[in-house]
Amino acid sequence: MTTSIRLLFIFSCLTFTFAQNYYSVDLEGTGSSQLTIFSDSITGLEVGDEIGIFDANGLTNYGDCSSQYGELLVGSAIWTGEQLNPVSIGSVDLCAFGGTQLAGFVEGNPVMVKVWRASEEMEYAAELTWGTGSGLFGDIIQSVSEISLSDPNACEDDDSAVAAFGGCAGAVAALGCDFVFAGVPISESCPVTCD
């Protein structure tokens, strides 16, 4: 094997080995953390699915006292079919003592999980079944026993939004899809019925 082919082969292997994951946590360690165990009993995941652990209202600023909050990726892991033990990064607020804030989850906020399924190139929202813990950041012990995925772009009728007409079928039959009911076009409340 020539030197240039050998180098190309090594470079290809290194590129594959260090490929960036879909969920890449970009936070500095703070000394505050949360272990979330994903049990090997989970059937709703495929090997290779990436798990992103989020705080929908985490502390996002770092090194100042500006108190900025928003959705924040605080932990991640790749499902192997065996128990996973990812650790999420927690926020620290030392502003009351003349210090600064460090970005991470906020204790007491709900743990939110999203799943990237590479085989479909699709991100799913995840509904978690908790085996142990309340599902809030700050639990002493926290384990997920099952995960159900839901397509965040899925179309579903909201029959409760037009319950006065007996649901979407009645509202569309009586008023049509373009009619605005309670400030919302019926087509938005009933996308399946309105096709």
Side-chain angles (χ1 to χ4, degrees):
M1 203 188 265
T2 66
T3 304
S4 61
I5 292 174
R6 209 174 288 142
L7 288 174
L8 179 61
F9 176 75
I10 291 169
F11 179 75
S12 296
C13 290
L14 290 174
T15 302
F16 177 77
T17 302
F18 295 105
Q20 187 172 352
N21 297 331
Y22 187 79
Y23 297 120
S24 182
V25 179
D26 189 27
L27 293 174
E28 297 286 331
T30 63
S32 174
S33 62
Q34 172 75 59
L35 171 67
T36 304
I37 298 168
F38 288 84
S39 172
D40 60 4
S41 66
I42 292 172
T43 60
L45 295 175
E46 295 177 357
V47 171
D49 284 351
E50 292 188 42
I51 301 167
I53 304 170
F54 293 82
D55 184 338
N57 199 30
L59 183 66
T60 60
N61 58 292
Y62 189 93
D64 58 35
C65 291
S66 59
S67 298
Q68 299 173 36
Y69 296 90
E71 185 174 289
L72 185 64
L73 176 66
V74 295
S76 66
I78 297 177
W79 182 247
T80 61
E82 298 177 3
Q83 178 177 308
L84 291 177
N85 305 307
V87 176
S88 300
I89 297 172
S91 65
V92 173
D93 186 349
L94 300 173
C95 292
F97 307 104
T100 63
Q101 293 173 321
L102 307 176
F105 68 76
V106 175
E107 192 169 320
N109 285 354
V111 174
M112 180 175 74
V113 168
K114 296 180 186 180
V115 173
W116 170 256
R117 181 157 286 168
S119 64
E120 300 173 10
E121 295 188 1
M122 173 86 74
E123 183 178 51
Y124 289 90
E127 184 176 315
L128 307 176
T129 302
W130 293 98
T132 306
S134 63
L136 301 177
F137 286 110
D139 283 339
I140 294 172
I141 298 176
Q142 187 174 83
S143 69
V144 177
S145 59
E146 189 56 82
I147 294 179
S148 300
L149 304 183
S150 59
D151 182 352
N153 302 317
C155 255
E156 292 183 10
D157 282 348
D158 183 2
D159 286 319
S160 63
V162 288
F165 299 97
C168 285
V172 170
L175 304 171
C177 291
D178 295 328
F179 187 82
V180 176
F181 178 74
V184 178
I186 289 180
S187 62
E188 286 185 25
S189 298
C190 306
V192 174
T193 303
C194 289
D195 195 25

